[in-house]
Every structure is written in C-alpha cells, then in structure tokens.
Amino acid sequence: MTVRTIVVDDSPSMQKLITAVLETDPEIEVIGTASNPIEAREMIKVLDPDVITLDVEMPGMNGLDFLERLMRLRPMPVVMISSHTRKGADATIAALEIGAVSCLPKPRMDDEAALQEMRQNVKAAASAKMAIQGRQRTSGDARTKPARSAVLKRKRGIDVIALGASTGGVEALTEVLSGFPANCPPTVVTQHMPEHFTKSFAERLDRLCAPKVVEAADGMPISEGHVYIAPGGVGHLTVAGRTEKLCRVQPGQLRSGHMPSVDVLFESVAKAFADKAAAALLTGMGSDGAEGLLALKKAGALTIAQDRATSLVYGMPAAAERLGAANHVLPLRDIASALFGGGTEVTQNVCA
C-alpha cells in the first residue's frame, strides 16, 4: 500500500527537500505540496491524503492553529516538522498534545539516520489513521486536559518506576503521569524525541502533574516525588545504585535504532533495582523496550505493556507481548494504578 502524502511548508526549497527524502521510499508518494494552511486545506479536501507533514512555523495561520482545526474537523495523521529552536520545540510539544503523531526536526541531507526516521514516521503515521479518527470521535478535548483522577495506593515496595514510549507517547505519558501522586517513587522516562525537545516536554509535564518533572542530567540524584525525562539525542539514560540513586546520561551507540533507548534504561533498572522496580512500555513503533521489559520481568519487577486498543501505534508493546515480557497488558487508563500495585486505599491526585 502506498502512503499518499501532502507536504505543507512555506519554504519551496524545504518542500522539495522533504519530497525528495520521502519519495526515496517506494511505499511513499507525495501527491501535493502547499505553502500555507489555506492551500493545504483545499488540497486535503480534493486529494484526501493518508498523511500530511506540517511545518510548525508558517505565516498567516500558524501550524498549531491549523492542526487544532484539522483534528477537530477532519482528523488525520500529521507529522510535525520543526526547527531546532526553543520556540519550535515548545510549539511541537503542544502539537503532539493536540493530536500530531510525531515531531521531527527539519531534515539535513547529510544525516541518513534522520532521513530514514522521517520516512519511517510517515509510514507509521499512516498505520495510525484509524486510531486517530476513533480517538477524535470519543475523546474530544479531554485528550489535552488530563482529568483529576484517583490514585490507588501501592501495596508493594517499589523503589523506582520506569516508563518507555515513542510514537503517541506524549499523550500517553501525560495521561499516565497525571495519575501519579506528589510523593510517587522516583520515576525515569525515555520518550523518543529529538534533542532540545525533551526539555520543553518535561516543563509541560511539570505544569500538568503533581510530581516534579525535570529533564535528566548525568549525576543527578533521583528522589521521591520526581520524574526524570531522558534528554533527546545526547546519550542513553540509565540509573545506578540502591543506596544513592543517580541518573546517568552518557553517549553511546544506537540501540534498537534509538538514542536514548528504552531497552538501555530498562536493563539498567533491572540490574540496579530488580524486584523493587515497576515498569510500563507504552505506544510506539518498532521494538525498543521489549527486551528491556523482559529483563525487568526476569529480575522480578512488575511489568506492564499498553494494549492494542489504546495504543496509537501498537509496535513496542506488541513486541513485548510477543516476548512474554509483560506481567499485564492493560488499557492506558489502568496503567498508573497498576504501577502502584493496585491497592485499595484511594488518594486524590492534584494534577490539573
């Protein structure tokens, strides 16, 4: 099946570059290019694409305003293309919460790994089309505003929680972490995201959730009531120590096609905390995290995979399920309480 794609960017040279990158894959066809949202709207009506790529920053109606209207009136898979700037990163995180499938930096022809990632993201976005349309029909604005929720008090001793996600992970992690109380166990997170974007993501989560959410740094002590997000593109996040718990962020080779890698994080948690850990592998394409979740299960940790019905892209959790790595396969809404052991004493979360 060919993925029919429209490229929306105000730069003619960037339109040509993105088109050239995508069309090196025989499974992708660029059926049109648009310079602004008005042109894009008319083109979408006529051509009915499977996916659009959308520049965050454009004259007139910006990409975020256009995306919000598109997802409300005609939901479809959108891959956001952003500059490597703080403004671009902030806008991209907002776009992911509105409903974009993934975010990517502007392409460079000398970075083949990034070009391949763009092609893979467009194809993954197409596979998520039905999920996006179904989600928009049922969830409305609740998707971007996590509701106040009760958090089940844990019965078992958990020293560390680890979470991994990729495509669709911004929404998934927001929902899971909005179920965490202010005094949650130290929580470490790897979300596949470009460099510079993870700081904006951490800051946005920090505004939404009760625990303190920060971008992890090498040597940073980890403590109760804190969530640590792996920085994008600079190294792998790992944890060390039972007595003095520390984040480690160190350069390395790609693992499962990614840096940071969920597998690397999960395996470090299994080694350091064994049966005192709990972990969940959420929505995303590929298989990163599946082997790490299996290592955690073998070490005695509580392991969870998100189910097919609530995953935007059922790749990573499916790989974990095939390996038998998950103690439980659960819908997204049940994962926070399961991580805390499913106790019966209910405390009210204070996330907005």
Side-chain angles (χ1 to χ4, degrees):
M1 174 181 167
T2 301
V3 179
R4 301 168 67 255
T5 307
I6 289 176
V7 174
V8 185
D9 196 294
D10 64 323
S11 165
S13 60
M14 189 57 63
Q15 289 178 14
K16 292 178 182 178
L17 176 56
I18 294 173
T19 298
V21 170
L22 295 180
E23 290 197 328
T24 60
D25 190 315
E27 296 179 359
I28 301 173
E29 178 188 5
V30 176
I31 58 173
T33 59
S35 300
N36 57 63
I38 295 173
E39 287 182 14
R41 182 180 61 191
E42 295 306 312
M43 197 171 288
I44 289 167
K45 289 179 182 177
V46 173
L47 298 178
D48 189 25
D50 299 311
V51 179
I52 69 170
T53 70
L54 179 62
D55 187 10
V56 171
E57 299 163 326
M58 290 184 294
M61 182 190 297
N62 66 37
L64 286 180
D65 290 340
F66 177 62
L67 177 66
E68 191 279 328
R69 295 186 188 186
L70 182 68
M71 298 308 287
R72 178 163 41 88
L73 300 174
R74 188 169 180 162
M76 65 175 52
V78 177
V79 175
M80 301 301 295
I81 309 294
S82 174
S83 59
H84 266 305
T85 65
R86 178 54 186 270
K87 181 180 178 182
D90 289 345
T92 299
I93 299 304
L96 290 167
E97 292 194 334
I98 291 170
V101 172
S102 58
C103 64
L104 296 169
K106 298 269 187 177
R108 294 196 342 248
M109 292 305 291
D110 62 347
D111 188 346
E112 180 52 39
L115 301 182
Q116 180 61 19
E117 184 179 14
M118 177 175 286
R119 293 185 284 265
Q120 290 174 343
N121 270 259
V122 166
K123 290 192 288 187
S127 71
K129 187 172 184 177
M130 296 301 294
I132 290 169
Q133 292 172 338
R135 179 183 59 184
Q136 290 298 126
R137 286 193 295 269
T138 58
S139 63
D141 290 338
R143 178 174 36 82
T144 59
K145 295 181 180 180
R148 292 178 179 269
S149 61
V151 177
L152 300 176
K153 185 177 179 181
R154 65 185 185 273
K155 286 182 175 179
R156 65 196 299 274
I158 296 175
D159 290 346
V160 167
I161 292 174
L163 304 173
S166 186
T167 313
V170 167
E171 290 181 277
L173 285 166
T174 301
E175 180 164 342
V176 170
L177 291 172
S178 73
F180 279 32
N183 65 342
C184 68
T187 300
V188 286
V189 179
T190 289
Q191 159 71 45
H192 296 158
M193 193 173 283
E195 186 179 358
H196 306 305
F197 289 30
T198 44
K199 183 174 179 60
S200 294
F201 182 40
E203 290 172 351
R204 196 169 188 89
L205 284 173
D206 188 52
R207 293 192 293 270
L208 289 170
C209 297
K212 179 67 178 174
V213 184
V214 298
E215 185 181 53
D218 188 47
M220 181 181 285
I222 60 177
S223 58
E224 182 178 278
H226 287 69
V227 177
Y228 304 88
I229 308 294
V234 299
H236 296 292
L237 173 63
T238 60
V239 297
R242 280 179 179 264
T243 54
E244 185 183 11
K245 304 168 189 173
L246 298 174
C247 290
R248 292 296 184 195
V249 179
Q250 298 175 329
Q253 300 298 313
L254 295 178
R255 172 77 184 275
S256 305
H258 298 281
M259 188 173 67
S261 162
V262 182
D263 276 326
V264 172
L265 174 62
F266 282 4
E267 287 170 1
S268 75
V269 173
K271 182 178 180 180
F273 298 99
D275 62 346
K276 298 297 183 181
L281 187 59
L282 308 178
T283 175
M285 64 180 177
S287 61
D288 187 27
E291 292 180 355
L293 198 70
L294 182 60
L296 279 158
K297 183 181 179 183
K298 289 180 177 178
L302 170 66
T303 59
I304 298 166
Q306 187 176 348
D307 70 358
R308 179 186 296 274
T310 61
S311 294
L312 184 63
V313 177
Y314 193 58
M316 289 158 51
E321 190 175 356
R322 287 193 298 270
L323 287 178
N327 298 124
H328 307 285
V329 178
L330 298 173
L332 187 62
R333 65 180 177 273
D334 295 336
I335 290 176
S337 60
L339 286 166
F340 287 84
T344 56
E345 180 178 338
V346 177
T347 58
Q348 186 66 38
N349 182 23
V350 295
C351 292

